[in-house]
Amino acid sequence: MSDKNLPNQVSANTLRRLPYYLSYLKTLKNTDVSYISAPVIASELDLNEVQVRKDLAAISSVAGKPKKGFEIDVLINDIQAYIGCDVNNCGILVGAGHLGRALLAYSGFEAYGLNIIAAFDSNPAAVGKDIAGKSVYHTDALLDFCKKTPVTIGIITVPAEDAQEICDLLIKANVKAIWNFAPVKLCTPDGVIIQNENIAASLTIINKKLAEQF
Amino acid sequence: MSDKNLPNQVSANTLRRLPYYLSYLKTLKNTDVSYISAPVIASELDLNEVQVRKDLAAISSVAGKPKKGFEIDVLINDIQAYIGCDVNNCGILVGAGHLGRALLAYSGFEAYGLNIIAAFDSNPAAVGKDIAGKSVYHTDALLDFCKKTPVTIGIITVPAEDAQEICDLLIKANVKAIWNFAPVKLCTPDGVIIQNENIAASLTIINKKLAEQF
DNA sequence: GTTTTATCGATAAATTGATACTGATATAAT
DNA sequence: ATTATATCAGTATCAATTTATCGATAAAAC
């Protein structure tokens, strides 16, 4: 049973806020304060005080102390543990275009438990290259690669029209989760985790707000 | 007055779905069908039928026809217009690291009305380079640049600890919106639009789902 | 031309997430 | 030691979003 004393139904919104808490708490680590209260976090991060308390209660087993707040070090540890900083998932990336290369080179994912170990592309010009110390193989080699080295997370950075095909391939390769950067809904069997990253959506929101303002 | 016959309070969630509608509708353009119904879109995109209808009603002035649905071409046009594909916003990017370079090179933003015209970095090694035809200048030159060439959108891809400083600089340079890729809450005066892009959040969600499953 | 039916649009219900409120409690001040 | 107070945790309220229901209607079938 996956029974913990923490609620196992934390909303995606809460999850989204965790990295912000973490980043803020880390800025306090160098200072001399060792406790932080929910109202202070809330005002710094422009959130509601109760919301902060609920978020923290959901992911941390430690209780806050009246008049002082929460112990910063403990909070940092709990958030990191909850986020999965301690896990180590192997990932491969398919589509070594601009976006793909950037993600390959980006070093921030290790802090969130993801280790991208290789990339794949069907473009002969990309195959064989080395990006940030990671090799780019031909997509045809993907299945064999995953037989030898079990991969948990597949990252899709191919154009929208190719995304489903790559998705099918990744599922055949037995990945447990797919992180999809193409703006398309992928068809997947039950049990495979899909996380859509939607950069265009943010631009849409910006455009809308800009248009509203003027 | 910014009065249209469309509701001007479309939720962020709806906005987030629009790119998916658009991408799906475009796949139908090559086929021989010219009408699409809300139930079909819903099942393809794994959404609720009513939700699809509401989203479309919010952004399109055209009515759907019983037994047929919505005219695909009209929908595509309406979504594109709403998203702001037709606008042309000038953007600059600060922080020509891995992520920054990727965004510079990524060609998909034009389709959403954003044209990144230059990049800035304080690292001498990056200054002077050309990335995807766009020059990287020193951050010190940012203010002058924006005086000559008005910039609407500032993109922050610097490390978390430098983000606020760059944010202040961009505001001094009179940008109207800031697209922030650092996982920190930025302090800004009223009137400046902030859109946070939070790649770490997605990883958090994936990790959580993976942990739940096993 | 009439009937059947898929889909629409609108309204209502339910769910979810955010915010406000209240009593309890540990810390700090007197 | 006693009092005052900031903050916590839990409960209740409120707002927003999603989902369900229902009559109306245009297209298709007969």
Side-chain angles (χ1 to χ4, degrees):
Chain A
M1 270 217 164
S2 72
D3 211 21
K4 320 144 207 168
N5 45 357
L6 298 177
N8 57 351
Q9 267 301 45
V10 173
S11 78
N13 287 350
T14 296
L15 253 28
R16 245 180 272 281
R17 285 187 289 267
L18 293 182
Y20 290 100
Y21 294 133
L22 185 57
S23 142
Y24 171 65
L25 292 171
K26 278 183 176 169
T27 67
L28 299 176
K29 250 207 134 170
N30 305 327
T31 69
D32 52 350
V33 295
S34 54
Y35 280 84
I36 185 83
S37 73
V40 172
I41 297 178
S43 91
E44 286 291 330
L45 266 50
D46 238 1
L47 299 170
N48 180 284
E49 162 193 344
V50 181
Q51 188 173 55
V52 172
R53 226 175 265 129
K54 290 218 155 154
D55 286 346
L56 297 183
I59 58 95
S60 171
S61 51
V62 77
K65 286 186 188 170
K67 197 99 173 165
K68 294 193 87 176
F70 300 84
E71 207 177 337
I72 293 175
D73 286 344
V74 177
L75 275 191
I76 290 178
N77 279 340
D78 283 351
I79 294 178
Q80 285 183 334
Y82 197 86
I83 274 179
C85 298
D86 51 337
V87 303
N88 196 351
N89 290 318
C90 276
I92 55 171
L93 182 147
V94 189
H98 292 306
L99 185 60
R101 287 204 286 271
L103 295 181
L104 275 179
Y106 186 57
S107 53
F109 296 144
E110 273 91 0
Y112 291 88
L114 171 62
N115 185 19
I116 306 178
I117 55 174
F120 296 85
D121 201 301
S122 50
N123 179 358
V127 173
K129 290 231 168 105
D130 237 64
I131 297 164
K134 288 143 192 175
S135 304
V136 181
Y137 304 104
H138 195 279
T139 314
D140 293 343
L142 195 151
L143 274 179
D144 274 345
F145 183 96
C146 291
K147 264 178 206 146
K148 288 178 212 138
T149 316
V151 166
T152 315
I153 299 176
I155 305 169
I156 297 181
T157 51
V158 299
E161 55 267 31
D162 304 328
Q164 183 61 57
E165 182 190 339
I166 297 302
C167 174
D168 295 342
L169 182 63
L170 285 168
I171 286 167
K172 220 183 270 176
N174 252 318
V175 302
K176 303 282 177 284
I178 289 176
W179 195 8
N180 173 36
F181 284 77
V184 292
K185 181 83 194 180
L186 298 172
C187 296
T188 51
D190 285 353
V192 175
I193 294 160
I194 293 284
Q195 178 68 28
N196 292 304
E197 193 73 43
N198 185 356
I199 299 185
S202 292
L203 264 181
T204 301
I205 294 172
I206 292 177
N207 283 342
K208 217 56 231 159
K209 288 184 184 164
L210 279 171
E212 261 166 34
Q213 202 163 38
F214 305 105
Chain B
M1 271 215 164
S2 73
D3 211 21
K4 320 143 207 170
N5 46 356
L6 299 178
N8 57 350
Q9 268 300 48
V10 173
S11 78
N13 286 353
T14 296
L15 251 28
R16 246 180 272 280
R17 285 187 290 267
L18 292 182
Y20 291 98
Y21 293 133
L22 184 57
S23 139
Y24 171 65
L25 292 170
K26 278 182 176 169
T27 68
L28 299 175
K29 249 206 135 172
N30 305 327
T31 68
D32 52 350
V33 295
S34 54
Y35 280 84
I36 186 82
S37 74
V40 173
I41 297 178
S43 92
E44 286 291 329
L45 266 50
D46 239 2
L47 299 170
N48 181 283
E49 162 193 343
V50 182
Q51 188 173 56
V52 171
R53 230 175 263 129
K54 288 211 159 162
D55 285 346
L56 297 183
I59 57 96
S60 171
S61 50
V62 76
K65 286 186 189 172
K67 197 94 178 173
K68 293 193 87 177
F70 300 84
E71 206 177 337
I72 293 174
D73 287 343
V74 177
L75 275 191
I76 290 179
N77 280 339
D78 284 351
I79 294 177
Q80 285 182 334
Y82 197 86
I83 274 179
C85 298
D86 50 336
V87 303
N88 196 351
N89 290 319
C90 275
I92 56 172
L93 182 147
V94 188
H98 291 307
L99 185 60
R101 287 204 286 272
L103 296 181
L104 275 179
Y106 185 55
S107 53
F109 296 144
E110 274 89 1
Y112 291 88
L114 171 62
N115 185 19
I116 306 178
I117 57 174
F120 296 85
D121 202 299
S122 51
N123 180 357
V127 173
K129 290 229 168 108
D130 238 64
I131 297 163
K134 288 145 193 175
S135 303
V136 180
Y137 303 105
H138 195 280
T139 314
D140 294 343
L142 194 151
L143 274 179
D144 273 346
F145 183 95
C146 292
K147 265 179 206 146
K148 289 180 210 134
T149 316
V151 165
T152 315
I153 299 176
I155 306 170
I156 296 181
T157 51
V158 298
E161 55 267 31
D162 304 328
Q164 183 62 56
E165 183 189 339
I166 297 302
C167 173
D168 296 341
L169 181 64
L170 285 168
I171 286 167
K172 221 184 268 175
N174 252 318
V175 303
K176 303 282 178 285
I178 289 175
W179 196 8
N180 173 36
F181 283 76
V184 292
K185 181 83 193 178
L186 297 174
C187 297
T188 52
D190 285 353
V192 176
I193 295 160
I194 293 284
Q195 178 68 29
N196 293 303
E197 193 74 43
N198 185 357
I199 298 184
S202 293
L203 263 182
T204 302
I205 295 172
I206 291 177
N207 283 342
K208 216 58 230 157
K209 288 184 185 164
L210 279 171
E212 262 166 33
Q213 201 163 39
F214 303 104

